[in-house]
Amino acid sequence: MGLSFEQAEIRQGSFVLGADLALPPEGHFAVIGPSGAGKSTLFQSLAGFIPLSRGTIRWQGQRIDGLPPGQRPLSILFQDQNLFPHLTVAQNLGLGLDPSLRRLDWAAVEQALEAVGLAGLGPRKPSQLSGGQQSRAALARALLRARPVLLLDEPFAALGPALKAEMLELVARMTGDKLVLMITHDPNDALHFAPQTLVVANGSVQPPRATASLLTNPPPDLAHYLGQPTRAIPARVGHAPHHP
Amino acid sequence: MARRAGALIAGGVALATLAPVAVVMAQAGGRGLTAPDLAALRFTALQATLSALASVTCAVPLARALARRRFPGRGALITALGAPFLLPVIAAVLGLLAIFGRSGLLNAGLRALGLPEVSIFGLGGVVLAHVFLNMPLATRMILQGWQAIPAERLRLAESLGFTPRHYWQHIERPMLQDVVPGALLAVFAICLTSFAVVLTLGGGPAATTVELAIWQAVRFEFDLPRAASLAVLQVLACGGAVLLAGLVARPSGFGAGLDRVLPLPAPAGWRKGLDALVIGLASLFLAAPLLAVLARGLPGLAGMPAAVWPAAATSLAVAACAAPLAVGAALTLALGRAQGRRWLGPVAMLPMAISQLVLGTGLFLIVFPFVNPASLTLPVTILVTALTALPFAYRILAPETQTLQADYGRLAASLDLRGGAALRLLVLPRLRRPLGFALGLCAALAIGDLGVIALFATEDGQTLPLVISRLMGAYRMGQAAGAALILVALAFAVFWICDRWGRHGTEL
């Protein structure tokens, strides 16, 4: 069953994105595609911020496209602004268990902090953490929420390569039982994190394909985005003298 | 929940403003306009036009001087330009009387020189008071225009070797063409509904505004049909002015540009002397009446009539009820607007178009068949004061809630942070500063307000501004000044306390 888009369509002005595919209830998927192709739009729609203009989204057979964002079976990490700067790190995590912060199992919060390597940093404000630590805190909250689906909208894009690799490794380790979708611009991230990849291009979300073979033998529109010459676009090869 | 609260508040605001209007319209039916009605309309338009022109004419050179000169105390002076907004109108009038009145400093000087005296009563005095109250507002609006000139444009002008004349021709005049109509209309709309100034400095057949005529029709003639038809006249005039102001008002500035501010060129020579003169004269004009209230009020404090203290308590109680009401409603509407319900914005601004005395007349007509209106003085005053303050609070909060929604709206939604929890954990901590400012502003406005209460109040249930106006009417000017000093102190104190609450503990 898992997550299925049934003839779903998102329309924003003249921009149209169609999705008709099914994903299993567990597994790690990369989402790649040219800028402006609609990767973030797809996530925003799945998370409940942009309504579908047509079709349905189901999770385990249940329709979820009409639910408010906070009640969907998923957590999302944005590119930035994942933490409230005026609340402590522990409070930010606590929101994942009880948004009113009234009846909270603070021990669970501390455990989650420990799990991502932030033991003892709960009383701090987010501004007192490094960028990598902030990412960990946001991830810890997503884990506390214990939703079966996790959407990563490039939350680690601002981190350096080493930190990013470390975070991806952490995510991979902590989310083995979840369906994780991750937008990325870096083919290496996709290769390391996700055995399968969704390509968003030309107004549609294409069904998942094995990441390795997709990257070694990309379809033309993806190849253009990745900057690799292919036989499918001979003109490009001719105009690219730096690619012998 | 927030969705329903927004709609509920919007419905309440619309009902509270439009039901009185509907009632006056129904009651006014059939009665034509009389000559005094038209005279009142003419005087209203005349004084508002002159007040707007005079305020803006004084504001332009002052704003320019403040924009291009740097001197010690400049920041304090610009901050002080916000003070007349908090200053109770009745106290301002007392201050102006102390300077320009029959026994004021100006006429004492004229007498000493053997020159004829000037009178502050009538058209001249009304316009003078309106300039005193609104010129600072106009100055701040126009100053913003000067400050919004992008640094890139100034750099270009400098590289082209512009003289001050060229600056005027290519940069300043086009900027003023954008900014001045908005400032003119803002002052015009405020002066249309001015009540306390005209009550104290105007009056008589030659200097009665529509707002004052409504009051006279209710209080002295008890001619409710006339009050109703005057109220309809006022609705049309204000509605038109506010609509026009809304059309003319433009989002600030030609492009945000960089934050870095390039100082405007400050030409030397006679222009420097002129700027200094303008700043000096304006400071004197704005400060002298305030100092006069202080000088005359201090001796008056000793002999306060007993009525002052309960009235001060009533004023504080009105402010304590009306300010949270106004700010709470404004916050709900602003949050709803930030979440995409655009129609809430116009609803929040609706009370701008309906004057206090129109609201008061409508409410008077609604309750009169059932109860003695005087027994409802306080609830009506609280309701009308809160409605009047609502647009100001909304204007302060709207941009802040917009930013809050843009920065954290999605995060909050994705975590299912809603309702009371969102208010406690997100909105109050993040918006504490503008909330404190808005609360202080509304409370100061409520304390200094003299409007609808004049329609309803009898001897008991008076607010402090009403007591002062009655002391003035009895020519007990020393006591009036003393009471005005207390009023000013209260208004500034509540503003300071609320604003301090907002600033305190704000961290990012």
Side-chain angles (χ1 to χ4, degrees), chain A residues 75-88:
Chain A
S75 290
I76 179 166
L77 295 193
F78 304 99
Q79 284 181 22
D80 49 18
Q81 307 274 35
N82 282 304
L83 302 171
F84 291 110
H86 58 282
L87 300 179
T88 65

Side-chain angles (χ1 to χ4, degrees), chain A residues 141-160:
Chain A
R141 188 185 54 217
L143 296 176
L144 274 178
R145 295 190 82 221
R147 305 287 164 109
V149 181
L150 178 62
L151 306 181
L152 303 175
D153 189 357
E154 295 188 82
F156 314 130
L159 303 180

Side-chain angles (χ1 to χ4, degrees), chain B residues 85-86 88 319 323 439-449 490-492 494-495:
Chain B
F85 198 77
L86 301 176
L439 206 58
L441 194 77
C442 291
L445 284 178
I447 283 184
D449 188 56
L490 283 180
F492 282 95
V494 292
F495 173 77

